[in-house]
Amino acid sequence: MTRAPFVSPSSEVDDATIRGRVLPTWESAAFGQLSRWTGGPFGWHGAVGRQAFFTPLRVLLFLAVAGLLLGFGSKAPCLEQHETKPGQYEVLWGGHNEYARACYTDIVPLYGSEGFDKGFAPYRDHRPDGHWMEYPVLLGYFQYAAAGAAHAWSAGAAHGALPPLAPALVFFAVCALAIAAAWLVVVWASAKLAGDRVWDVWLVALSPVVFVQAFTNFDGLGVAFLMAALLAWRKNAPLLVGLLAGLGAAVKLFPVLLFFPLLLVAWRDKRLGDWGKALLAAAGALVAVNFPVAYLYRDGWAEFFTFNKDRSAQEGSLIYLVFDYVRVRLQDGAVGLLPPEKANLVSFGAFALLLAGIAAVALTARRAPTLEQLMFLTITAFLLTSKVWSSQYSLWLVPLAVLAFPRVWALLGWMVLELLNWLMREWWFYQGFSGGGDPTVERLYLVLLVLRDGALVAICAALVQSLYRSGGALAQARGAEPELAEGPALVYTGRPNI
C-alpha cells in the first residue's frame, strides 16, 4: 500500500482505479511528509479499494469511537460518586470542581434540577423555581426515559441484582450512549455525503470540538437528524427529509434552519415540489410530536419558547461582546445586560441580513454551491448573530464545515480555537465562583472568542470567494473529477493543498 512515492506513470498503466479517488499523501505535502514515518506516500501501483474489511467507512467509525472515548474521558473527572448512606450514592458534584477541571456537562445536574430524582414528568410538573422543562418535547421525554432507566437501576441495586450507582451517574451514562450512537450516525452520513473526499471525514470523527463538547449537552442528537436529512435529500427522498428534520427540530430546534438553504437549492434545481413535500412532512412530524403535549400541558409546553424569548445575551455570543461588554465597559466600567427584547431585535435583524446575502451568493455565484455549503453558511450566520452561543453549539458546524470547505488544516485551526475557548471559559467561571475574578482570564477568554469568530468569518469568506472563481480550489467539495498531471511527478492539480 505504501510503495515508492510519485512514480512516473507509464503509457501502459490504466489509471481508472485511482482516477476520482482522493489520496491524502498525494494532495497534501504535510500528509506526504508525515507518511514517511509509516512507509511513505501511496505508490502508483498500490492497490485501491481491495480491502475486504477495513473500508474507509469502517476506519472512520473506529476513529469516531476513539474520539468519543476521549470525549467521555474529558467528562470523567465530574463523574465521581460518594456514599451518602449505606448502599446509596450521589455524584460528587459541587465545589465548582466541574469548572476547575473543565469537565462541566449539563446532563449530570439536569437529573436533579428537572426533578427527575423526585419522579417529576416533563411539562406536567414544574420545578421548585416555578418553571418547567425548557427543552423541546422529544428531548424532554428522552430525558424522562433515561431517568426511568436510572430509577430501574436503583431498584435493581436495592435488591442486590446490580451494583449500587448514583442515579445521576446512570442517567448520564444512558444519555451518553445515545449521544455516542448519534455521533456515529453523523460520521456515517458525512462519509456518504463526502463522496471521493471520504478521508476528510476523519476530522468529524476526531474533531477537538468532539473531545470537549460531545457530552456537554444533547446537541449530537440534533446533528444526527440534520445530517441524515441532508443524505435523504441526496437520495431524492423529500418526505424522509421532512420527517428527519421535523424530529430533529423536536430534539434541538436548529435542524429547522435546513429549509432555507434547501429552498435555494430546490429553486436552482427546479425541485420546488420536493421542497414543499419536505416542508409538509416536517410540519406533520412536529405537530404529531408537539400537539398532545401542548394540549395537555400548555404552560409546560410553552416554556421552551418563553425561556428563549426572555433570555438575555450570553457571554459566548458576539451580541454580548459588542452590546454588553464593550459598550458598557467604555461607559462606566461595569458589565450590563442588553434587555432581551432589544437583543432579540438585533439578533433577528442581523440574521435576516446575512440570509439575504447567502441567497444572493446562491443565485449569482459562478459555481453553484452545494446544499452542505449553504447549510454551513446558514448555521454560521445564525450562530454569529444569535444572542446565545453555548459552547456545545459549535458541534452543529463540525460535519458541515468538513463537507463544505475541504481545507482540513484551516478547519483544524478553528476547532483548536474552539477547544481553547472552552478551557478558558471554564477557568473563567471557576475564577468567578472561587472569588478570584482575575480580569486577565476574562480578557483572554474574550480574545479567544473574537479569534474563534474571526476564524469562522475567514472560512466563510474563502468559501464564498471560491464560488465566484472559475476552476476554484474548492470545486472538489462537489466531487469534481480530478486532473492528472503529466511529467515525472504525479499530483492532483485540481485539488487544494490542504
Side-chain angles (χ1 to χ4, degrees), residues 417-454:
L417 284 173
E418 292 281 5
L419 185 149
L420 296 175
N421 184 279
W422 166 257
L423 296 177
M424 190 53 59
R425 180 182 184 276
E426 295 298 279
W427 182 248
W428 178 25
F429 269 76
Y430 170 67
Q431 289 280 351
F433 282 119
S434 62
D438 188 348
T440 302
V441 176
E442 179 184 2
R443 293 190 186 103
L444 184 55
Y445 165 70
L446 294 173
V447 167
L448 286 171
L449 194 68
V450 172
L451 291 175
R452 186 274 308 273
D453 293 346

Side-chain angles (χ1 to χ4, degrees), residues 68 112 303 356 377 448:
L68 290 165
E303 179 71 20
L377 292 174
L448 286 171

Side-chain angles (χ1 to χ4, degrees), residues 96-111:
H96 312 303
N97 286 329
E98 64 271 20
Y99 301 111
R101 299 177 180 182
C103 60
Y104 176 81
T105 171
D106 288 328
I107 300 174
V108 170
L110 278 173
Y111 182 76

Side-chain angles (χ1 to χ4, degrees), residues 59-93:
V59 171
L60 290 169
L61 291 174
F62 286 139
L63 292 177
V65 170
L68 290 165
L69 288 174
L70 290 172
F72 189 89
S74 73
K75 305 302 182 186
C78 287
L79 303 179
E80 299 179 12
Q81 63 177 12
H82 65 110
E83 192 171 18
T84 55
K85 297 178 181 179
Q88 295 185 12
Y89 291 83
E90 290 183 359
V91 175
L92 191 60
W93 188 271

